[in-house]
Amino acid sequence: MRILLIEDDARTAEYVRRGLTELGQVVDHARDGQEGLLMATTGQYDVLVIDRMLPKLDGLTLLRMLREGHIRTPALFLSAMGAIDDRVKGLESGGDDYLVKPFAFSELYARICSLGRRPPLQDVQTVLSHGDLEMDLLKRTVVRAGKSIDLQPTEFRLLEYLLRHAGRVVTRTMLLEHVWSFHFDPKTNIVETHISRLRAKLDRGFETALIHTVRGAGYKLDVAP
């Protein structure tokens, strides 16, 4: 297995790294949260081992950012924070397991092996693009032709859905279900209002419109009508 260890305590990191290496595993080590986030997003790993209290970017926030970017690598929290609430927060942030320090190395290794036996995940896409429009799911940024576009959270989700279906018509019902989690018609113009706002932000000032209304069907994001 290839394992990413994100741990700022040098003694703990060396203990874990040496033990795993002696058992034939490949271990990369990040010393803070920012470095760990970069390595986790650019490298291919079977398991992540993450400390909770990291400099620059804490472990919970780091893992939430990875999950929001659709990176599903199994993750084990290794932390001295062992209260029930702490463990629940770790699992709710996207963690698959949680081990409290101090720990027995044999238990840590058994848990890592258990996570590593999961079926391999497909490569995940963290950047969506169409034409001159690009969305970074990890950084939560949107850029068109080099110009940064500031979106509200709902607008970001709406654009993400349109980008994932670029070139295809999406219906009002599809948008209600996947962007707002509505499984009924709220009898409001919520979709139309947000499409209008998103269109103003994306298309204003550009020669080519990206968001098109398909009369009687829905909406389509495309470089051509």
Side-chain angles (χ1 to χ4, degrees), residues 91-133:
L91 297 174
E92 288 181 342
S93 71
D96 299 277
D97 202 352
Y98 198 107
L99 184 60
V100 178
K101 300 175 182 178
F103 57 91
F105 179 81
S106 58
E107 182 180 4
L108 172 64
Y109 185 61
R111 289 173 183 255
I112 290 174
C113 288
S114 177
L115 294 177
R117 285 194 294 268
R118 293 186 175 183
L121 300 175
Q122 297 179 346
D123 291 341
V124 294
Q125 191 174 12
T126 60
V127 175
L128 305 176
S129 62
H130 188 77
D132 59 359
L133 180 67

Side-chain angles (χ1 to χ4, degrees), residues 10-20 103-106 108:
R11 292 182 63 184
T12 300
E14 177 57 22
Y15 172 68
V16 173
R17 187 203 62 77
R18 184 175 63 251
L20 292 173
F103 57 91
F105 179 81
S106 58
L108 172 64

